[in-house]
């Protein structure tokens, strides 16, 4: 069994992108691979893209696909070992993961962080508890700290939009929001960019630095304008504070780009994983510009999921 939960589960992201681009030319060429196999998609949290693209990926490979909104429709899960379950939880993760493994050959799990207990979230308590008891390969559909299928789709999208000999200059920019959001997309994107053949830096307000575990050697700017000079790709995403875990420290300055940036930077491409709060995180002008890659990213979600599932079925991840 081999799971896919981060960039560390693959050997080289750039080679994986080339394999994905080959697969894109022949999306329906492996529809026998998944015959009589079942893909289970287990959602503890909402989703549009991950749900639909993962279903499509499994179906493209000839798999049967079953989806459960476990956060709403399933019995309330208990995670504590040796728990006396005399409270609100009805089924232990041990039993749920083992039973789901009886029905499915590959399982995708979405489990967002609670944003209350940093150690619990950053130790991937829920994902690792599930993996511990599942007896089939598990794919992360976004966990407490990472969103690997999204980041892989993002790297594919960058490669599809870059044909110059030099490395592209990629910037991950924090974007405004009204709610405390996880760091998972930002963490994961940073991890994949650090492993890819790109020049990478991050822009975020003071108080919003991501964990070094994910950002590594990437330079972190607290001034967006400075970071975006010479950017070929800007990836916008909001996240709450890692340091003051889950908090929303006060932000100085305007982090929303509009028409002015488009005029002075006509070559820069814009990315976001979606869903996006228009005119809060990104302006209509930027999202709807010809340099926006948001729908191509969404399209590549099927491709990233399909290649990973294909490799798991071939047992060659
Ligand atoms: N980008 C992404 O994961 O979208 P969903 O939350 O809708 O799946």
């Amino acid at each position: 069994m081999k799971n896919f939960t981060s960039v560390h589960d693959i050997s080289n992201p750039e080679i994986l992108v080339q394999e994905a681009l080959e697969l894109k030319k022949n999306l329906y060429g492996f529809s026998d691979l998944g015959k009589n196999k079942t893909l289970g998609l287990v959602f503890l949290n909402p989703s549009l893209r991950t749900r639909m693209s993962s279903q499509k990926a499994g179906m493209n490979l000839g798999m049967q696909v079953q989806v459960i909104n476990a956060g709403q429709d399933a019995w309330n899960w208990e995670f504590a070992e040796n728990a006396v379950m005399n409270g609100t939880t009805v089924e232990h993760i041990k039993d749920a993961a083992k039973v789901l493994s009886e029905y499915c050959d590959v399982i995708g799990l979405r489990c967002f962080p609670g944003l209350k207990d940093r150690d619990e979230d950053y130790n991937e308590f829920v994902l690792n508890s599930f993996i511990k008891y599942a007896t089939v390969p598990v794919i992360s559909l976004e966990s407490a700290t990472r969103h690997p299928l999204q980041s892989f789709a993002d790297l594919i999208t960058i490669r599809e939009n870059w044909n110059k000999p030099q490395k592209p200059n990629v910037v991950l920019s924090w974007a405004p929001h009204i709610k405390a959001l996880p760091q998972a997309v930002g963490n994961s994107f940073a991890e994949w960019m650090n492993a890819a053949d790109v020049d990478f830096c991050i822009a975020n307000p003071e108080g919003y630095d991501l964990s070094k575990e994910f950002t590594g050697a990437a330079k972190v700017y607290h001034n967006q304008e400075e970071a975006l000079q010479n950017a070929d790709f800007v990836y916008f995403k909001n996240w709450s504070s890692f340091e003051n875990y889950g908090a929303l420290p006060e932000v100085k300055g305007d982090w929303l780009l509009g028409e002015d940036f488009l005029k002075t930077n006509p070559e820069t491409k814009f990315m976001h994983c979606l869903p996006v709060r228009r005119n809060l995180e990104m302006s209509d002008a930027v999202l709807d510009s010809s340099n926006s890659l948001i729908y191509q990213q969404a399209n590549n979600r099927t491709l990233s999921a399909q290649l990973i599932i294909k490799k798991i079925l071939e047992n060659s991840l």
Side-chain angles (χ1 to χ4, degrees):
M1 184 171 94
K2 191 83 169 73
N3 306 308
F4 177 75
T5 64
S6 81
V7 74
H8 305 300
D9 291 317
I10 52 120
S11 49
N12 184 324
E14 297 290 1
I15 291 174
L16 205 67
V17 168
Q18 293 313 312
E19 291 179 22
L21 294 176
E22 277 305 305
L23 179 62
K24 201 170 192 173
K25 296 176 196 162
N26 187 22
L27 275 180
Y28 308 106
F30 300 88
S31 55
D32 283 344
L33 194 61
K35 194 173 172 210
N36 298 331
K37 305 266 186 199
T38 300
L39 173 65
L41 302 174
V42 180
F43 287 89
L44 294 175
N45 313 97
S47 167
L48 185 154
R49 278 141 293 273
T50 306
R51 177 188 305 261
M52 300 295 282
S53 62
S54 304
Q55 272 185 279
K56 193 169 164 65
M59 292 188 294
N60 286 353
L61 292 166
M63 300 181 85
Q64 313 273 350
V65 185
Q66 294 188 302
V67 185
I68 182 167
N69 299 320
Q72 293 170 1
D73 301 341
W75 303 112
N76 200 13
W77 287 349
E78 173 64 55
F79 291 90
E81 295 289 343
N82 306 315
V84 177
M85 291 169 54
N86 58 1
T88 56
T89 55
V90 179
E91 179 152 44
H92 200 279
I93 185 73
K94 179 189 296 192
D95 303 315
K98 283 178 186 279
V99 168
L100 285 164
S101 303
E102 294 293 322
Y103 305 139
C104 306
D105 300 281
V106 182
I107 299 175
L109 176 69
R110 167 163 283 199
C111 50
F112 287 175
L115 286 181
K116 291 191 168 56
D117 182 333
R118 190 169 87 175
D119 285 344
E120 185 174 300
D121 290 345
Y122 274 69
N123 284 322
E124 291 287 6
F125 179 64
V126 175
L127 178 66
N128 287 333
S129 298
F130 192 91
I131 287 173
K132 179 175 173 186
Y133 295 115
T135 56
V136 298
V138 175
I139 297 173
S140 166
L141 303 177
E142 187 173 345
S143 67
T145 65
R146 294 178 172 95
H147 196 354
L149 289 175
Q150 179 68 54
S151 310
F152 179 26
D154 298 333
L155 182 58
I156 294 168
T157 308
I158 288 171
R159 284 291 160 225
E160 286 182 320
N161 286 279
W162 188 252
N163 55 13
K164 297 180 184 170
Q166 69 270 28
K167 294 180 186 183
N169 193 345
V170 180
V171 183
L172 169 65
S173 177
W174 181 90
H177 210 281
I178 52 166
K179 286 179 65 181
L181 296 192
Q183 298 92 30
V185 171
N187 284 342
S188 194
F189 186 74
E191 209 170 45
W192 280 72
M193 290 305 113
N194 282 331
D197 200 18
V198 305
D199 286 327
F200 177 61
C201 68
I202 303 169
N204 59 253
E206 286 185 33
Y208 287 87
D209 287 4
L210 293 167
S211 164
K212 277 271 171 211
E213 178 190 347
F214 299 92
T215 60
K219 186 168 167 67
V220 178
Y221 294 85
H222 292 146
N223 179 317
Q224 191 189 43
E225 195 178 337
E226 199 184 338
L228 296 195
Q229 284 173 6
N230 307 317
D232 298 306
F233 297 87
V234 186
Y235 194 104
F236 294 98
K237 183 72 184 88
N238 172 268
W239 59 84
S240 58
S241 178
F242 169 74
E243 186 186 338
N244 185 6
Y245 193 60
L248 300 175
E250 187 187 344
V251 173
K252 296 196 182 84
D254 182 6
W255 285 72
L256 181 69
L257 299 187
E259 296 272 9
D260 292 353
F261 188 87
L262 290 174
K263 283 187 189 132
T264 50
N265 299 272
E267 301 291 319
T268 306
K269 307 279 191 203
F270 305 104
M271 304 177 73
H272 191 290
C273 65
L274 306 180
V276 64
R277 288 191 183 229
R278 282 177 172 258
N279 303 309
L280 176 68
E281 292 177 79
M282 290 174 73
S283 64
D284 283 339
V286 169
L287 282 165
D288 297 332
S289 78
S290 57
N291 282 357
S292 169
L293 303 179
I294 55 173
Y295 303 125
Q296 194 175 340
Q297 289 173 262
N299 176 282
N300 281 329
R301 288 297 308 274
T302 303
L303 188 58
S304 66
Q306 191 170 329
L307 184 68
I308 294 301
I309 297 166
K310 176 175 173 286
K311 284 183 159 289
I312 284 175
L313 291 176
E314 293 167 340
N315 206 10
S316 61
L317 192 66

